Amino acid sequence: MVKQTIQIFARVKPPVRKHQQGIYSIDEDEKLIPSLEIILPRDLADGFVNNKRESYKFKFQRIFDQDANQETVFENIAKPVAGSVLAGYNGTIFAYGQTGSGKTFTITGGAERYSDRGIIPRTLSYIFEQLQKDSSKIYTTHISYLEIYNECGYDLLDPRHEASSLEDLPKVTILEDPDQNIHLKNLTLHQATTEEEALNLLFLGDTNRMIAETPMNQASTRSHCIFTIHLSSKEPGSATVRHAKLHLVDLAGSERVAKTGVGGHLLTEAKYINLSLHYLEQVIIALSEKHRSHIPYRNSMMTSVLRDSLGGNCMTTMIATLSLEKRNLDESISTCRFAQRVALIKNEAVLNEEINPRLVIKRLQKEIQELKDELAMVTGEQRTEALTEAELLQLEKLITSFLEDQDSDSRLEVGADMRKVHHCFHHLKKLLNDKKILENNTVSSESKDQDCQEPLKEEEYRKLRDILKQRDNEINILVNMLKKEKKKAQEALHLAGMDRREFRQSQSPPFRLGNPEEGQRMRLSSAPSQAQDFSILGKRSSLLHKKIGMREEMSLGCQEAFEIFKRDHADSVTIDDNKQILKQRFSEAKALGESINEARSKIGHLKEEITQRHIQQVALGISENMAVPLMPDQQEEKLRSQLEEEKRRYKTMFTRLKALKVEIEHLQLLMDKAKVKLQKEFEVWWAEEATNLQVNSPAVNSLDHTKPFLQTSDSQHERSQLLSNKSDVNARKILPSPCPSPHSQKQSSTSTPLEDSIPKRPVSSIPLTGDSQTDSDIIAFIKARQSILQKQCLGSN
């Protein structure tokens, strides 16, 4: 237990304008407590006698002057509190002062420079750095962020903040258990495993805070915010768990309404802020009085949440932020008086440790069992109930460990329960009998293993034969498809030649027979078109070897057949059209997204210009002692009209982008459905083709071959050259097996009978097309397949 008073610190805000010298002084004597003296000069302009005090002196643990940076404030204020939280104590740091005195800058920090980080981000970095260094414990960190606005609690980490208004959000309510512990309903705890996750939660909460512009501050926080870090630690194997929490509180600033002259919604907010701070001061006064029996914690939500921090189990620190300008001296003196009252409160911080109930239950169960054994040993009474399965399993483990122990002095301890003793004897007897039976059956099991090897070989042979039969079916299907492709190519060439001859006869004048120059021109004109047709044929045949490995569940022949089936399917054109439309919609959506980003940046720029114009008008009014005009000028009207136009343009483009998103999703769904339909139809077709080949395999050889089309010697030479190129491509894609080494040849000469019994399909039984070059391609393809299958069979054997 640690007993100490609330630590108070003071921080002076740098003034906006130069102030007269001698308003305050700081006395930092090493032997004495630092003190702050505020000098308030008398006003003798009216000629009356003024007996007010001219000097006010206040003592603090430390006073940070105008030149103190954020790092110094963290090292002296927040770092000791964070260290106590890591040790298992609760901690609280809260900033108090008038509006515009630098509370939010001290707690959260500024957004312009990295060095302006406040207490919260620096504390998170320090805590996670210490957690990484300490590997002896298991730590768990959770984050919560509470906002108290107009005496109503809201969760700043609720994801519904951006899409809902403040009235539609669920309010955080206070629940109290019989032990007077406070629980907050509708306040979520988010686990943070790294510093980055914790900072993201902090930034999310800061964007959801209520901020408004007031005459005292351009970005005044209009609510109290409590950022809480929940930390749990546990040593591995220990039953003790430590819980600690750190409250980092940014209070809203008090303000005098008569002095600021606010009205409307700002006046309502100021009323609730001043009322909650008034209740906080009442609680502080009650706690500072020794004989006070009742503490009014329940008057406001903030004092209820901070009950432990203000007068309970917590190590609390207060930062008094002061704006020591001449117009703010009265508020600064009031803040210092509040800090002096806070320093009188004494808290008792206790180490928050608790024992894991599961481990306690296990320890108590073990103790109960030991007491039962001792009682049975003393009384000697025989138990009638049977042993449970857990007890039997435990006894078998004890017997096994006893038999494996090589120490001759080891003993089998089962207690005084005769049921366990009898079970141990029965189990030992069973083990001895099983050992004898195992020795007798060893010889017979070896002979049975030899007998079982032959059925296994037969089963393996049957499996390999089925695989070979399936590959033969695939080869037959591919041969049929090659025939169909060749027939289509020949018909296309024939029709193209007919069309060209008819076109020449209708367009060109008749030529003389036997004219070698004219014949040569005809051959030269027909050669490119024929070459183009053969290139189309080569492209179609090359589709058989594309996309290898995309469908690992299909075999090589099945993949090639699927590519050709997909190309000739009726839905392929629809799929291609949908792809083109989808590509256009993606391009349009990308262009719209860029336009929306430009409009958003332009809206932000216009808002900044309007804000800068307001600041200039206020500054001009203060410098010239003129009232700020209520009606906007012509330039501001022009900026506002541009802002509204950009907003309408942004809304129109955003609506179009949403419609494009729906259309893109619909097109993707249509393409997915078409692909699934294509896959299913191919599987049905493939199964039918395989069934037909198994039933009518002799009919394949009886197919009529298409009569080759008569061509000129030049076109025949081009066609043979193209087909030879295609066979070279196929030869490169279906690699032949490497030549065996002499050692492997010697091994292959002594192969097993199982290898010789594999059925090999003779090449003469393969149905051919009639064209010598195409038939050579088919035979080379089939031989490569058979060599691969033989290698697979030898590898599995």
Side-chain angles (χ1 to χ4, degrees), residues 268-312:
T268 304
E269 293 175 345
K271 179 183 68 174
Y272 280 104
I273 292 171
N274 292 336
L275 183 62
S276 62
L277 294 176
H278 169 68
Y279 288 139
L280 175 62
E281 188 170 7
Q282 283 187 349
V283 171
I284 297 298
I285 294 172
L287 289 170
S288 62
E289 296 177 2
K290 295 183 180 180
H291 303 290
R292 190 71 174 264
S293 60
H294 173 67
I295 309 299
Y297 288 115
R298 295 187 180 90
N299 285 349
S300 69
M301 185 175 184
M302 182 180 62
T303 54
S304 298
V305 173
L306 299 177
R307 174 182 294 184
D308 288 337
S309 303
L310 297 176

Side-chain angles (χ1 to χ4, degrees), residues 15-35:
V16 179
R17 296 185 300 270
K18 291 184 178 180
H19 61 280
Q20 61 182 13
Q21 300 294 328
I23 289 181
Y24 74 96
S25 63
I26 299 174
D27 184 11
E28 292 185 343
D29 192 356
E30 295 180 356
K31 298 181 180 179
L32 300 176
I33 300 176
S35 61

Side-chain angles (χ1 to χ4, degrees), residues 546-763:
K546 287 184 178 179
K547 298 185 179 179
I548 299 298
M550 290 179 61
R551 302 172 181 84
E552 297 180 355
E553 67 275 5
M554 294 183 181
S555 62
L556 184 61
C558 189
Q559 293 175 16
E560 296 170 351
F562 178 72
E563 294 298 331
I564 298 175
F565 180 82
K566 182 173 69 174
R567 186 197 64 197
D568 296 336
H569 197 269
D571 293 340
S572 61
V573 179
T574 306
I575 293 175
D576 293 339
D577 293 342
N578 288 338
K579 283 184 180 178
Q580 294 297 327
I581 297 173
L582 188 61
K583 186 176 180 181
Q584 294 176 2
R585 295 297 180 267
F586 270 123
S587 302
E588 187 176 354
K590 183 178 178 181
L592 271 177
E594 293 175 355
S595 301
I596 287 173
N597 290 332
E598 293 177 0
R600 187 184 300 164
S601 61
K602 194 169 183 180
I603 289 171
H605 182 67
L606 290 173
K607 286 184 178 179
E608 289 180 0
E609 289 185 358
I610 294 173
T611 305
Q612 291 295 329
R613 183 133 188 100
H614 284 177
I615 294 172
Q616 292 175 2
Q617 291 179 355
V618 172
L620 184 63
I622 293 174
S623 61
E624 297 181 359
N625 294 325
M626 296 174 60
V628 180
L630 298 177
M631 298 298 293
D633 57 357
Q634 185 176 2
Q635 185 176 358
E636 185 176 350
E637 287 291 341
K638 184 178 179 180
L639 291 174
R640 290 186 180 276
S641 62
Q642 292 179 2
L643 181 62
E644 294 297 328
E645 181 65 26
E646 288 297 327
K647 285 183 178 180
R648 286 193 294 270
R649 179 168 165 264
Y650 174 82
K651 187 176 180 181
T652 304
M653 290 188 295
F654 188 75
T655 305
R656 174 58 183 162
L657 185 62
K658 288 174 67 177
L660 277 177
K661 180 182 177 183
V662 174
E663 186 176 355
I664 289 171
E665 290 177 353
H666 181 67
L667 286 172
Q668 290 177 343
L669 181 61
L670 289 178
M671 290 182 64
D672 292 340
K673 288 183 178 180
K675 290 178 181 178
V676 171
K677 178 183 175 184
L678 183 65
Q679 181 71 23
K680 290 182 178 179
E681 290 181 357
F682 170 73
E683 291 174 357
V684 173
W685 174 82
W686 181 262
E688 291 178 354
E689 288 290 330
T691 305
N692 294 335
L693 284 173
Q694 290 178 0
V695 176
N696 302 321
S697 58
V700 178
N701 293 325
S702 63
L703 291 174
D704 295 333
H705 303 298
T706 306
K707 186 176 180 180
F709 179 68
L710 295 177
Q711 298 171 341
T712 62
S713 60
D714 295 337
S715 62
Q716 288 178 357
H717 177 69
E718 292 173 358
R719 178 183 175 189
S720 61
Q721 185 176 1
L722 287 171
L723 288 175
S724 63
N725 292 336
K726 184 181 72 171
S727 63
D728 293 339
V729 173
N730 294 333
R732 286 194 298 270
K733 291 187 176 181
I734 304 175
L735 296 174
S737 58
C739 297
S741 61
H743 180 67
S744 62
Q745 290 178 358
K746 183 177 180 181
Q747 290 182 352
S748 63
S749 63
T750 60
S751 59
T752 60
L754 174 64
E755 179 183 354
D756 297 334
S757 62
I758 297 174
K760 299 180 180 179
R761 185 185 179 110
V763 178

Side-chain angles (χ1 to χ4, degrees), residues 302-343:
M302 182 180 62
T303 54
S304 298
V305 173
L306 299 177
R307 174 182 294 184
D308 288 337
S309 303
L310 297 176
N313 176 23
C314 190
M315 302 176 70
T316 307
T317 300
M318 173 189 167
I319 305 173
T321 56
L322 306 174
S323 178
L324 293 178
E325 297 183 5
K326 187 175 181 180
R327 58 176 182 172
N328 298 326
L329 287 180
D330 292 337
E331 287 82 359
S332 300
I333 293 172
S334 177
T335 301
C336 293
R337 286 175 175 171
F338 178 81
Q340 302 304 306
R341 285 193 292 267
V342 169

Side-chain angles (χ1 to χ4, degrees), residues 11 70 73 95 102-109 118-120 319 321:
R11 186 177 189 183
Q70 297 282 64
V73 174
K103 298 183 299 300
T104 303
F105 181 81
T106 301
I107 297 296
T108 305
I119 288 178
I120 296 179
I319 305 173
T321 56

Side-chain angles (χ1 to χ4, degrees), residues 38-251:
I38 300 176
I39 300 171
L40 186 63
R42 295 178 180 176
D43 189 5
L44 301 178
D46 295 334
F48 298 101
V49 177
N50 190 349
N51 293 326
K52 290 183 178 180
R53 289 176 59 183
E54 291 184 351
S55 175
Y56 295 86
K57 198 169 186 179
F58 306 97
K59 294 182 178 180
F60 294 90
Q61 261 73 27
R62 182 165 178 177
I63 302 168
F64 300 93
D65 207 352
Q66 301 174 6
D67 55 351
N69 55 18
Q70 297 282 64
E71 180 69 20
T72 306
V73 174
F74 169 75
E75 291 290 335
N76 291 274
I77 297 178
K79 193 172 182 179
V81 179
S84 64
V85 171
L86 290 171
Y89 296 92
N90 294 335
T92 299
I93 301 173
F94 69 95
Y96 181 90
Q98 72 175 110
T99 179
S101 60
K103 298 183 299 300
T104 303
F105 181 81
T106 301
I107 297 296
T108 305
E112 296 179 358
R113 294 179 299 177
Y114 181 76
S115 59
D116 290 340
R117 291 179 303 152
I119 288 178
I120 296 179
R122 292 179 185 270
T123 303
L124 290 173
S125 301
Y126 175 76
I127 287 176
F128 281 100
E129 181 182 356
Q130 296 301 317
L131 296 186
Q132 290 180 355
K133 291 180 180 179
D134 188 8
S135 60
S136 61
K137 297 181 181 179
I138 301 173
Y139 291 92
T140 305
T141 308
H142 291 81
I143 303 295
S144 66
Y145 209 172
L146 172 66
E147 179 186 43
I148 303 175
Y149 175 71
N150 291 349
E151 208 55 25
C152 295
Y154 299 97
D155 185 8
L156 288 177
L157 302 181
D158 191 347
R160 292 171 289 183
H161 254 285
E162 297 179 357
S164 304
S165 61
L166 196 64
E167 293 79 13
D168 297 333
L169 292 174
K171 294 180 175 59
V172 178
T173 56
I174 298 176
L175 303 177
E176 188 174 351
D177 59 12
D179 296 332
Q180 294 185 350
N181 295 320
I182 297 298
H183 303 277
L184 299 177
K185 185 181 179 182
N186 295 329
L187 182 64
T188 56
L189 287 178
H190 297 262
Q191 185 174 2
T193 57
T194 60
E195 178 187 352
E196 183 180 0
E197 294 179 3
L199 291 177
N200 289 336
L201 293 173
L202 171 62
F203 298 152
L204 174 63
D206 287 340
T207 55
N208 295 330
R209 291 186 64 176
M210 296 299 298
I211 298 175
E213 181 180 354
T214 63
M216 299 293 292
N217 191 358
Q218 296 178 5
S220 176
T221 54
R222 312 303 293 169
S223 62
H224 310 296
C225 292
I226 303 173
F227 185 88
T228 308
I229 305 171
H230 302 264
L231 192 64
S232 300
S233 62
K234 176 182 175 297
E235 294 182 359
S238 175
T240 304
V241 181
R242 289 185 179 180
H243 298 283
K245 57 184 177 181
L246 175 60
H247 293 302
L248 301 173
V249 186
D250 181 16
L251 299 176

